[in-house]
PDB file of all heavy atoms in Angstrom:
ATOM      1  N   ILE A   1     205.083-180.874 -28.135  1.00 97.00           N
ATOM      2  CA  ILE A   1     203.679-180.952 -27.693  1.00 97.00           C
ATOM      3  C   ILE A   1     203.356-179.608 -27.031  1.00 97.00           C
ATOM      4  O   ILE A   1     204.029-179.182 -26.104  1.00 97.00           O
ATOM      5  CB  ILE A   1     203.497-182.113 -26.660  1.00 97.00           C
ATOM      6  CG1 ILE A   1     203.758-183.458 -27.350  1.00 97.00           C
ATOM      7  CG2 ILE A   1     202.071-182.032 -26.078  1.00 97.00           C
ATOM      8  CD1 ILE A   1     202.865-183.775 -28.512  1.00 97.00           C
ATOM      9  N   PHE A   2     202.363-178.921 -27.576  1.00 96.00           N
ATOM     10  CA  PHE A   2     201.924-177.643 -27.071  1.00 96.00           C
ATOM     11  C   PHE A   2     201.032-177.837 -25.849  1.00 96.00           C
ATOM     12  O   PHE A   2     201.134-177.069 -24.856  1.00 96.00           O
ATOM     13  CB  PHE A   2     201.171-176.883 -28.161  1.00 96.00           C
ATOM     14  CG  PHE A   2     200.627-175.531 -27.719  1.00 96.00           C
ATOM     15  CD1 PHE A   2     201.434-174.435 -27.753  1.00 96.00           C
ATOM     16  CD2 PHE A   2     199.343-175.404 -27.266  1.00 96.00           C
ATOM     17  CE1 PHE A   2     200.963-173.191 -27.349  1.00 96.00           C
ATOM     18  CE2 PHE A   2     198.831-174.175 -26.837  1.00 96.00           C
ATOM     19  CZ  PHE A   2     199.672-173.065 -26.886  1.00 96.00           C
ATOM     20  N   GLY A   3     200.129-178.831 -25.875  1.00 96.00           N
ATOM     21  CA  GLY A   3     199.241-179.080 -24.763  1.00 96.00           C
ATOM     22  C   GLY A   3     198.738-180.502 -24.756  1.00 96.00           C
ATOM     23  O   GLY A   3     198.713-181.204 -25.764  1.00 96.00           O
ATOM     24  N   VAL A   4     198.359-180.959 -23.553  1.00 97.00           N
ATOM     25  CA  VAL A   4     197.841-182.314 -23.327  1.00 97.00           C
ATOM     26  C   VAL A   4     196.464-182.176 -22.670  1.00 97.00           C
ATOM     27  O   VAL A   4     196.309-181.414 -21.718  1.00 97.00           O
ATOM     28  CB  VAL A   4     198.796-183.125 -22.392  1.00 97.00           C
ATOM     29  CG1 VAL A   4     198.264-184.533 -22.169  1.00 97.00           C
ATOM     30  CG2 VAL A   4     200.195-183.173 -22.981  1.00 97.00           C
ATOM     31  N   TYR A   5     195.512-182.931 -23.215  1.00 94.00           N
ATOM     32  CA  TYR A   5     194.110-182.753 -22.811  1.00 94.00           C
ATOM     33  C   TYR A   5     193.416-184.098 -22.605  1.00 94.00           C
ATOM     34  O   TYR A   5     193.592-184.991 -23.447  1.00 94.00           O
ATOM     35  CB  TYR A   5     193.334-181.913 -23.845  1.00 94.00           C
ATOM     36  CG  TYR A   5     193.997-180.606 -24.111  1.00 94.00           C
ATOM     37  CD1 TYR A   5     195.044-180.493 -25.058  1.00 94.00           C
ATOM     38  CD2 TYR A   5     193.637-179.484 -23.392  1.00 94.00           C
ATOM     39  CE1 TYR A   5     195.681-179.270 -25.272  1.00 94.00           C
ATOM     40  CE2 TYR A   5     194.290-178.252 -23.621  1.00 94.00           C
ATOM     41  CZ  TYR A   5     195.320-178.172 -24.539  1.00 94.00           C
ATOM     42  OH  TYR A   5     195.959-176.981 -24.763  1.00 94.00           O
ATOM     43  N   VAL A   6     192.630-184.235 -21.564  1.00 95.00           N
ATOM     44  CA  VAL A   6     191.859-185.439 -21.315  1.00 95.00           C
ATOM     45  C   VAL A   6     190.454-185.056 -20.807  1.00 95.00           C
ATOM     46  O   VAL A   6     190.244-183.943 -20.325  1.00 95.00           O
ATOM     47  CB  VAL A   6     192.525-186.339 -20.285  1.00 95.00           C
ATOM     48  CG1 VAL A   6     193.874-186.842 -20.753  1.00 95.00           C
ATOM     49  CG2 VAL A   6     192.674-185.680 -18.923  1.00 95.00           C
ATOM     50  N   SER A   7     189.553-186.008 -20.899  1.00 91.00           N
ATOM     51  CA  SER A   7     188.202-185.840 -20.341  1.00 91.00           C
ATOM     52  C   SER A   7     187.640-187.241 -20.006  1.00 91.00           C
ATOM     53  O   SER A   7     187.718-188.129 -20.819  1.00 91.00           O
ATOM     54  CB  SER A   7     187.264-185.160 -21.337  1.00 91.00           C
ATOM     55  OG  SER A   7     185.950-185.134 -20.804  1.00 91.00           O
ATOM     56  N   PRO A   8     187.089-187.390 -18.808  1.00 88.00           N
ATOM     57  CA  PRO A   8     186.531-188.654 -18.445  1.00 88.00           C
ATOM     58  C   PRO A   8     185.161-188.913 -19.102  1.00 88.00           C
ATOM     59  O   PRO A   8     184.638-190.005 -19.067  1.00 88.00           O
ATOM     60  CB  PRO A   8     186.402-188.577 -16.922  1.00 88.00           C
ATOM     61  CG  PRO A   8     186.295-187.121 -16.646  1.00 88.00           C
ATOM     62  CD  PRO A   8     187.111-186.439 -17.694  1.00 88.00           C
ATOM     63  N   ASN A   9     184.598-187.869 -19.727  1.00 84.00           N
ATOM     64  CA  ASN A   9     183.258-187.985 -20.310  1.00 84.00           C
ATOM     65  C   ASN A   9     183.279-187.693 -21.791  1.00 84.00           C
ATOM     66  O   ASN A   9     183.885-186.745 -22.241  1.00 84.00           O
ATOM     67  CB  ASN A   9     182.311-186.996 -19.638  1.00 84.00           C
ATOM     68  CG  ASN A   9     182.205-187.240 -18.151  1.00 84.00           C
ATOM     69  OD1 ASN A   9     182.019-188.367 -17.692  1.00 84.00           O
ATOM     70  ND2 ASN A   9     182.390-186.182 -17.363  1.00 84.00           N
ATOM     71  N   ARG A  10     182.593-188.546 -22.568  1.00 80.00           N
ATOM     72  CA  ARG A  10     182.458-188.359 -24.014  1.00 80.00           C
ATOM     73  C   ARG A  10     181.526-187.203 -24.290  1.00 80.00           C
ATOM     74  O   ARG A  10     180.624-186.892 -23.515  1.00 80.00           O
ATOM     75  CB  ARG A  10     181.932-189.610 -24.682  1.00 80.00           C
ATOM     76  CG  ARG A  10     182.915-190.810 -24.560  1.00 80.00           C
ATOM     77  CD  ARG A  10     182.318-192.008 -25.221  1.00 80.00           C
ATOM     78  NE  ARG A  10     182.343-191.813 -26.662  1.00 80.00           N
ATOM     79  CZ  ARG A  10     183.035-192.537 -27.494  1.00 80.00           C
ATOM     80  NH1 ARG A  10     183.759-193.523 -27.083  1.00 80.00           N
ATOM     81  NH2 ARG A  10     183.020-192.280 -28.795  1.00 80.00           N
ATOM     82  N   GLY A  11     181.777-186.548 -25.431  1.00 72.00           N
ATOM     83  CA  GLY A  11     180.844-185.504 -25.907  1.00 72.00           C
ATOM     84  C   GLY A  11     181.028-184.152 -25.242  1.00 72.00           C
ATOM     85  O   GLY A  11     180.210-183.270 -25.420  1.00 72.00           O
ATOM     86  N   GLU A  12     182.102-183.967 -24.499  1.00 73.00           N
ATOM     87  CA  GLU A  12     182.369-182.673 -23.931  1.00 73.00           C
ATOM     88  C   GLU A  12     183.831-182.323 -24.139  1.00 73.00           C
ATOM     89  O   GLU A  12     184.634-183.150 -24.522  1.00 73.00           O
ATOM     90  CB  GLU A  12     181.992-182.620 -22.438  1.00 73.00           C
ATOM     91  CG  GLU A  12     182.684-183.625 -21.576  1.00 73.00           C
ATOM     92  CD  GLU A  12     182.195-183.568 -20.121  1.00 73.00           C
ATOM     93  OE1 GLU A  12     180.969-183.672 -19.921  1.00 73.00           O
ATOM     94  OE2 GLU A  12     183.023-183.481 -19.244  1.00 73.00           O
ATOM     95  N   GLY A  13     184.180-181.079 -23.911  1.00 77.00           N
ATOM     96  CA  GLY A  13     185.523-180.636 -24.107  1.00 77.00           C
ATOM     97  C   GLY A  13     186.502-181.352 -23.190  1.00 77.00           C
ATOM     98  O   GLY A  13     186.087-182.013 -22.214  1.00 77.00           O
ATOM     99  N   LYS A  14     187.759-181.197 -23.466  1.00 87.00           N
ATOM    100  CA  LYS A  14     188.809-181.793 -22.675  1.00 87.00           C
ATOM    101  C   LYS A  14     189.340-180.766 -21.668  1.00 87.00           C
ATOM    102  O   LYS A  14     189.067-179.587 -21.771  1.00 87.00           O
ATOM    103  CB  LYS A  14     189.947-182.283 -23.576  1.00 87.00           C
ATOM    104  CG  LYS A  14     189.535-183.170 -24.685  1.00 87.00           C
ATOM    105  CD  LYS A  14     189.583-184.600 -24.343  1.00 87.00           C
ATOM    106  CE  LYS A  14     189.292-185.497 -25.529  1.00 87.00           C
ATOM    107  NZ  LYS A  14     188.893-186.810 -25.150  1.00 87.00           N
ATOM    108  N   VAL A  15     190.098-181.262 -20.702  1.00 91.00           N
ATOM    109  CA  VAL A  15     190.718-180.433 -19.719  1.00 91.00           C
ATOM    110  C   VAL A  15     192.232-180.478 -19.878  1.00 91.00           C
ATOM    111  O   VAL A  15     192.788-181.582 -20.059  1.00 91.00           O
ATOM    112  CB  VAL A  15     190.332-180.882 -18.302  1.00 91.00           C
ATOM    113  CG1 VAL A  15     191.040-180.073 -17.219  1.00 91.00           C
ATOM    114  CG2 VAL A  15     188.831-180.815 -18.101  1.00 91.00           C
ATOM    115  N   ALA A  16     192.872-179.331 -19.867  1.00 94.00           N
ATOM    116  CA  ALA A  16     194.347-179.297 -19.984  1.00 94.00           C
ATOM    117  C   ALA A  16     194.949-179.891 -18.694  1.00 94.00           C
ATOM    118  O   ALA A  16     194.479-179.654 -17.582  1.00 94.00           O
ATOM    119  CB  ALA A  16     194.826-177.840 -20.132  1.00 94.00           C
ATOM    120  N   VAL A  17     195.953-180.748 -18.909  1.00 96.00           N
ATOM    121  CA  VAL A  17     196.638-181.383 -17.794  1.00 96.00           C
ATOM    122  C   VAL A  17     198.127-181.120 -17.917  1.00 96.00           C
ATOM    123  O   VAL A  17     198.660-180.912 -19.001  1.00 96.00           O
ATOM    124  CB  VAL A  17     196.351-182.899 -17.685  1.00 96.00           C
ATOM    125  CG1 VAL A  17     194.855-183.121 -17.381  1.00 96.00           C
ATOM    126  CG2 VAL A  17     196.724-183.608 -18.974  1.00 96.00           C
ATOM    127  N   ASP A  18     198.846-181.206 -16.748  1.00 97.00           N
ATOM    128  CA  ASP A  18     200.290-181.016 -16.748  1.00 97.00           C
ATOM    129  C   ASP A  18     201.027-182.172 -17.399  1.00 97.00           C
ATOM    130  O   ASP A  18     202.075-182.018 -17.987  1.00 97.00           O
ATOM    131  CB  ASP A  18     200.804-180.812 -15.340  1.00 97.00           C
ATOM    132  CG  ASP A  18     200.332-179.528 -14.742  1.00 97.00           C
ATOM    133  OD1 ASP A  18     200.113-178.546 -15.468  1.00 97.00           O
ATOM    134  OD2 ASP A  18     200.225-179.448 -13.478  1.00 97.00           O
ATOM    135  N   SER A  19     200.454-183.375 -17.293  1.00 96.00           N
ATOM    136  CA  SER A  19     201.012-184.569 -17.932  1.00 96.00           C
ATOM    137  C   SER A  19     199.926-185.627 -17.965  1.00 96.00           C
ATOM    138  O   SER A  19     198.943-185.541 -17.251  1.00 96.00           O
ATOM    139  CB  SER A  19     202.264-185.055 -17.186  1.00 96.00           C
ATOM    140  OG  SER A  19     201.889-185.582 -15.938  1.00 96.00           O
ATOM    141  N   ALA A  20     200.147-186.614 -18.829  1.00 97.00           N
ATOM    142  CA  ALA A  20     199.217-187.745 -18.944  1.00 97.00           C
ATOM    143  C   ALA A  20     200.025-188.989 -19.287  1.00 97.00           C
ATOM    144  O   ALA A  20     201.080-188.909 -19.920  1.00 97.00           O
ATOM    145  CB  ALA A  20     198.159-187.455 -19.984  1.00 97.00           C
ATOM    146  N   GLU A  21     199.485-190.129 -18.943  1.00 97.00           N
ATOM    147  CA  GLU A  21     200.112-191.410 -19.218  1.00 97.00           C
ATOM    148  C   GLU A  21     199.457-192.042 -20.443  1.00 97.00           C
ATOM    149  O   GLU A  21     198.246-192.272 -20.460  1.00 97.00           O
ATOM    150  CB  GLU A  21     199.966-192.341 -18.006  1.00 97.00           C
ATOM    151  CG  GLU A  21     200.785-193.581 -18.109  1.00 97.00           C
ATOM    152  CD  GLU A  21     202.267-193.379 -18.053  1.00 97.00           C
ATOM    153  OE1 GLU A  21     202.751-192.402 -17.445  1.00 97.00           O
ATOM    154  OE2 GLU A  21     202.992-194.255 -18.605  1.00 97.00           O
ATOM    155  N   LEU A  22     200.275-192.268 -21.469  1.00 97.00           N
ATOM    156  CA  LEU A  22     199.821-192.982 -22.644  1.00 97.00           C
ATOM    157  C   LEU A  22     200.016-194.456 -22.376  1.00 97.00           C
ATOM    158  O   LEU A  22     201.109-194.884 -21.961  1.00 97.00           O
ATOM    159  CB  LEU A  22     200.599-192.591 -23.895  1.00 97.00           C
ATOM    160  CG  LEU A  22     200.604-191.101 -24.255  1.00 97.00           C
ATOM    161  CD1 LEU A  22     201.273-190.907 -25.627  1.00 97.00           C
ATOM    162  CD2 LEU A  22     199.223-190.499 -24.263  1.00 97.00           C
ATOM    163  N   ILE A  23     198.975-195.267 -22.613  1.00 97.00           N
ATOM    164  CA  ILE A  23     199.024-196.681 -22.318  1.00 97.00           C
ATOM    165  C   ILE A  23     198.953-197.440 -23.670  1.00 97.00           C
ATOM    166  O   ILE A  23     198.008-197.252 -24.420  1.00 97.00           O
ATOM    167  CB  ILE A  23     197.893-197.098 -21.384  1.00 97.00           C
ATOM    168  CG1 ILE A  23     197.978-196.295 -20.067  1.00 97.00           C
ATOM    169  CG2 ILE A  23     197.938-198.598 -21.132  1.00 97.00           C
ATOM    170  CD1 ILE A  23     196.768-196.439 -19.200  1.00 97.00           C
ATOM    171  N   ALA A  24     199.937-198.268 -23.930  1.00 97.00           N
ATOM    172  CA  ALA A  24     200.045-199.017 -25.198  1.00 97.00           C
ATOM    173  C   ALA A  24     198.741-199.798 -25.417  1.00 97.00           C
ATOM    174  O   ALA A  24     198.225-200.419 -24.513  1.00 97.00           O
ATOM    175  CB  ALA A  24     201.246-199.920 -25.218  1.00 97.00           C
ATOM    176  N   ASP A  25     198.273-199.761 -26.680  1.00 96.00           N
ATOM    177  CA  ASP A  25     197.096-200.511 -27.116  1.00 96.00           C
ATOM    178  C   ASP A  25     195.842-200.185 -26.325  1.00 96.00           C
ATOM    179  O   ASP A  25     194.933-200.978 -26.216  1.00 96.00           O
ATOM    180  CB  ASP A  25     197.338-202.028 -27.067  1.00 96.00           C
ATOM    181  CG  ASP A  25     198.412-202.458 -28.028  1.00 96.00           C
ATOM    182  OD1 ASP A  25     198.456-201.936 -29.180  1.00 96.00           O
ATOM    183  OD2 ASP A  25     199.273-203.266 -27.643  1.00 96.00           O
TER     184      ASP A  25
END
């Protein structure tokens, strides 16, 4: 994994994060 990105808002770019939690389903 080169980078992990999230955004709380739809329709805009993501923000790079140090880590993120993947939640099943």
Side-chain angles (χ1 to χ4, degrees):
I1 296 299
F2 179 85
V4 179
Y5 304 86
V6 297
S7 176
N9 302 310
R10 294 180 72 116
E12 58 184 53
K14 307 268 185 201
V15 176
V17 295
D18 292 332
S19 68
E21 189 68 27
L22 303 187
I23 302 170
D25 296 319

